Amino acid sequence: MSDDFMLDTDDLERRMDGAMANLRTEFASLRTGRASASMLEPVMVDAYGSATPINQVGTVNVPEPRMVTINVWDKGLVGKVEKAIRESGLGINPQLNGTIIMLPIPELNEERRRELGKVAGQYAESARVSVRNVRRDGMDQIKKAKSDGAVSEDDQKFWEETVQELTNKHIAAIDAALEAKQAEIMQV
């Protein structure tokens, strides 16, 4: 191999890992019929003039498998937190008890499970697209180096195979994560 060109595979792998981390975060926010504090992460409350995550306006607890509670620190924000949860699209009906908001998690019906499975599939597809975009960036770097004369044809093939292996590894991990999430969603 020539010493002129070195593809930064660590950077490509770090960016692909970022797509995986983002996918895990999106999967954690999907409701699966079990209570989880992470399901409230995408919900933002209009507090103090800006959008604020729920965990910064109150304490989120999971006292039992089908219940999430939020102990709101500022009494004036209880209504705003309740409104944010209602409008979030989680399909949860908050119940007030002073400054504590209780979120009973209902059983998922078959239709809702299928919808959540489709949403999980969309999240996985966007992660695959992100990984493929990183792959394309790597391939473009290799082609540019080849056209500049910094890489021989053999080296070009080596680097392209390296990038493709990295891509295949991450796509397989995304597919495995999707399969596990869909199995979790369909579990009664």
Side-chain angles (χ1 to χ4, degrees):
M1 280 197 307
S2 70
D3 296 331
D4 299 347
F5 177 75
M6 279 300 291
L7 183 66
D8 189 356
T9 54
D10 290 341
D11 177 57
L12 295 177
E13 187 159 20
R14 182 186 50 76
R15 290 167 55 198
M16 288 181 185
D17 287 343
M20 278 298 301
N22 187 41
L23 178 67
R24 283 190 204 97
T25 303
E26 288 177 329
F27 277 176
S29 70
L30 276 181
R31 193 161 69 85
T32 60
R34 282 195 301 266
S36 159
S38 64
M39 65 195 292
L40 296 174
E41 283 178 6
V43 180
M44 296 298 221
V45 180
D46 182 29
Y48 312 115
S50 66
T52 309
I54 282 187
N55 64 3
Q56 291 183 14
V57 296
T59 308
V60 180
N61 289 315
V62 183
E64 53 189 76
R66 294 214 163 279
M67 178 73 69
V68 175
T69 61
I70 305 163
N71 188 357
V72 182
W73 300 319
D74 182 350
K75 239 181 179 167
L77 292 177
V78 173
K80 289 183 177 186
V81 172
E82 180 188 21
K83 181 180 178 194
I85 293 168
R86 285 188 196 280
E87 294 175 352
S88 68
L90 288 173
I92 299 174
N93 192 19
Q95 299 170 354
L96 292 178
N97 184 3
T99 59
I100 295 176
I101 299 174
M102 296 181 296
L103 306 173
I105 310 297
E107 268 297 328
L108 292 175
N109 61 21
E110 186 68 24
E111 182 181 331
R112 182 70 178 138
R113 287 179 197 279
R114 290 189 197 288
E115 284 176 32
L116 288 174
K118 288 178 185 174
V119 170
Q122 291 168 350
Y123 287 163
E125 185 55 33
S126 72
R128 284 188 206 103
V129 167
S130 296
V131 168
R132 289 185 197 120
N133 287 339
V134 173
R135 174 190 173 275
R136 189 189 64 234
D137 290 347
M139 293 298 195
D140 289 348
Q141 289 175 31
I142 295 166
K143 285 179 184 153
K144 184 179 183 316
K146 172 73 171 128
S147 66
D148 292 346
V151 174
S152 69
E153 225 167 280
D154 288 344
D155 289 348
Q156 178 186 11
K157 283 196 188 331
F158 168 80
W159 288 115
E160 285 177 350
E161 286 173 8
T162 303
V163 170
Q164 189 59 49
E165 286 171 13
L166 207 55
T167 304
N168 292 346
K169 180 178 94 173
H170 282 81
I171 296 288
I174 289 169
D175 291 343
L178 173 63
E179 202 171 299
K181 188 62 177 183
Q182 285 180 330
E184 182 184 336
I185 289 169
M186 296 312 280
Q187 189 178 38
V188 179

